[in-house]
Amino acid sequence: MRFPICLALTSVLALGACSSGGDSGDSGAQATSCAPSEGAVTLNYTTWIPGIEKVVKAWNDKNPNIQVKVQTGPNGNGGTYQNFFNQLKAGNAPDLGHIEYDALPSFRVQDGLLNLADCTEVTAAKDQFVEWTWNQVTFGEENSVFGIPQDAGPMALFYRKDLFEKNNIPVPTTWDEYAAAAEKVKAAGGYITNFSQSDINQFAGLAWQAGGRWFGNDGSKWTVSMTDENTTKVANYWQGLLDKKLVSTVPPWTTEWDNAYNTSKAWTWVSAVWGANSIMSGAPDTSGKWAVAPMPQWTSGGTVAGNWGGSSTAVFKGSKHPYEAAKFALWLNTSEEALTLLNKEAQLYPATKAGASLPALKEGVAFYGGQKIYDVFAQASTQVAPDFVWGPTMTSTYASASDGFKKAVSGSGTLVDALKGAQTSTVDTLKSQSIPVAE
């Protein structure tokens, strides 16, 4: 997969490299010269990671000639991404920025990222990362590295072990078994889960597991396939649960959502590794009653997981110190010291293979009955397919799909209708920004 270089974008950042590229049609063909700067260097880094100041201090204390100034702000879609675009346009972007995997393509097509493929320390680090996370920052291309993988969101099944045991309901290992369990949970007065009507990232993770592939790029044009066979299968499955009223539909990340779990109304959540903390904080009265199992499978005996979330540390165009920026980004996301601090301060789950063996991730968790839950996620991370591609206008895509999902939940249309609407809206958005689209 390759990205076209000279897109006549009408968005907030003009492409400045269109006059100097070769004939490959690929903005990543030319890697950034990666030589050490002369003298002491100060890098600017913008992120929204909680406790990041402590992590950066650990670096600064040991690297007097490469100091990092950190600035924190709202999460990406909460304003930081727009600030990045504005800064890139004005020529005063920070050296490094925190960018989620699903947002990287939008920065890529707007030529806002440095390609670090000529930084030998970066390319040598490839094998340290779980394969699919590396593909998220290279877009599956050779000679392209547009960020250092930071964290991941492999998915698994959080479930109320006590309630399943009390009601003699087997923990589902397939999606057919999950639907059957949903009937029994409803008979026992609960819901097997809450269907998110607005956070489309979860649905994307479910589609990812099932083999759905929403976007592609052949070097000249984008393809959009939000209604492919596998995604449609997932949509029809959840539509069936909605139609039978086997799942609740309260808005996610609300007090009502927390209460559903805290009062034992909701019995499971198919979520990412970071969901462990969401349940602990939102449902404190259920401590010791939860457990974690692999995601239900579409095929009995299967071993495929989805992913929900994850981010990278990218170096922006305009940085005068790409070597030093890459060196810090690698330390931040590969050293045991940094990964341990990131997990302690922000509960980030590492994108590196070795990160899964951090001491903090090998311990039993009291809230989950002492289970070593991170072993489940370590296995899941190795089972995420590496070829899922995000599009360059995901904010718009999510908004359109969310509107359709809300209508489906209220009975005005279906989830498949929502995906069809998001497909049409996404293609229109790409065309409006002069991004080539395959019909």
Side-chain angles (χ1 to χ4, degrees):
M1 183 191 70
R2 308 180 77 187
F3 287 71
I5 177 171
C6 295
L7 306 178
L9 295 177
T10 59
S11 50
V12 294
L13 177 64
L15 290 176
C18 287
S19 62
S20 59
D23 59 2
S24 69
D26 178 15
S27 61
Q30 185 66 45
T32 300
S33 176
C34 199
S37 302
E38 294 183 7
V41 166
T42 297
L43 302 171
N44 293 303
Y45 168 43
T46 300
T47 180
W48 57 89
I49 299 173
I52 189 62
E53 293 84 359
K54 294 181 181 179
V55 188
V56 171
K57 184 179 184 301
W59 165 272
N60 286 338
D61 287 347
K62 296 179 180 179
N63 294 273
N65 291 326
I66 307 175
Q67 293 289 285
V68 176
K69 289 184 177 180
V70 64
Q71 178 180 355
T72 58
N75 65 34
N77 288 318
T80 292
Y81 291 155
Q82 187 60 51
N83 289 339
F84 285 159
F85 287 131
N86 293 341
Q87 291 165 338
L88 285 164
K89 185 175 182 180
N92 59 2
D95 296 278
L96 302 115
H98 182 177
I99 303 178
E100 292 157 299
Y101 296 137
D102 58 359
L104 269 178
S106 64
F107 285 89
R108 172 73 188 280
V109 299
Q110 297 190 53
D111 200 32
L113 307 175
L114 287 182
N115 182 357
L116 304 174
D118 275 355
C119 297
T120 56
E121 291 184 16
V122 170
T123 52
K126 173 182 177 180
D127 291 340
Q128 295 187 49
F129 294 94
V130 177
E131 181 184 6
W132 71 265
T133 67
W134 189 255
N135 276 16
Q136 292 291 298
V137 300
T138 65
F139 305 105
E141 303 173 17
E142 295 183 3
N143 198 40
S144 294
V145 185
F146 288 91
I148 306 300
Q150 181 162 86
D151 63 315
M155 298 173 72
L157 175 69
F158 295 93
Y159 70 98
R160 281 289 299 272
K161 184 178 180 180
D162 62 322
L163 295 177
F164 274 81
E165 291 179 349
K166 178 182 177 181
N167 291 276
N168 297 312
I169 302 174
V171 179
T173 62
T174 68
W175 287 111
D176 284 343
E177 291 175 0
Y178 190 81
E183 299 271 9
K184 297 177 181 178
V185 171
K186 184 66 178 294
Y191 292 103
I192 195 161
T193 194
N194 183 74
F195 180 79
S196 178
Q197 58 183 284
S198 57
D199 196 331
I200 307 304
N201 300 64
Q202 180 191 28
F203 185 85
L206 297 170
W208 190 337
Q209 183 215 20
R213 298 296 180 263
W214 290 1
F215 294 92
N217 191 292
D218 63 2
S220 61
K221 293 182 179 180
W222 283 90
T223 56
V224 185
S225 306
M226 295 189 68
T227 56
D228 64 22
E229 180 180 357
N230 290 319
T231 301
T232 299
K233 175 178 69 176
V234 176
N236 285 332
Y237 175 87
W238 287 95
Q239 186 67 53
L241 297 183
L242 286 168
D243 291 345
K244 294 179 180 179
K245 301 187 184 307
L246 298 177
V247 294
S248 59
T249 57
V250 300
W253 321 121
T254 61
T255 299
E256 186 181 6
W257 186 90
D258 285 339
N259 285 341
Y261 286 92
N262 201 35
T263 60
S264 303
K265 273 295 186 181
W267 289 24
T268 79
W269 189 27
V270 183
S271 186
V273 57
W274 46 259
N277 293 289
S278 297
I279 296 176
M280 284 190 281
S281 62
D285 295 344
T286 62
S287 179
K289 300 176 180 179
W290 288 86
V292 180
M295 283 183 77
Q297 299 292 308
W298 287 102
T299 302
S300 181
T303 55
V304 184
N307 179 76
W308 179 3
S311 57
S312 68
T313 308
V315 181
F316 287 116
K317 278 283 183 76
S319 173
K320 295 179 174 60
H321 309 293
Y323 173 85
E324 290 78 13
K327 188 172 183 178
F328 168 73
L330 280 172
W331 173 86
L332 182 67
N333 299 311
T334 62
S335 74
E336 183 173 348
E337 178 182 22
L339 294 179
T340 299
L341 283 169
L342 287 169
N343 181 259
K344 177 182 178 182
E345 299 296 330
Q347 292 79 50
L348 293 191
Y349 189 80
T352 60
K353 298 172 184 176
S357 297
L358 291 176
L361 297 178
K362 302 302 290 184
E363 301 173 355
V365 182
F367 188 92
Y368 294 91
Q371 181 187 359
K372 296 181 179 180
I373 64 170
Y374 295 106
D375 288 348
V376 179
F377 292 103
Q379 185 64 31
S381 189
T382 69
Q383 298 170 344
V384 177
D387 59 344
F388 190 90
V389 177
W390 298 107
T393 58
M394 289 309 302
T395 299
S396 173
T397 297
Y398 288 147
S400 176
S402 178
D403 288 343
F405 274 30
K406 290 174 183 175
K407 291 178 181 177
V409 164
S410 68
S412 301
T414 66
L415 297 178
V416 170
D417 292 335
L419 292 169
K420 290 178 179 177
Q423 166 96 13
T424 299
S425 175
T426 298
V427 170
D428 289 345
T429 299
L430 291 171
K431 289 180 177 179
S432 74
Q433 296 187 13
S434 299
I435 299 176
V437 183
E439 298 293 343

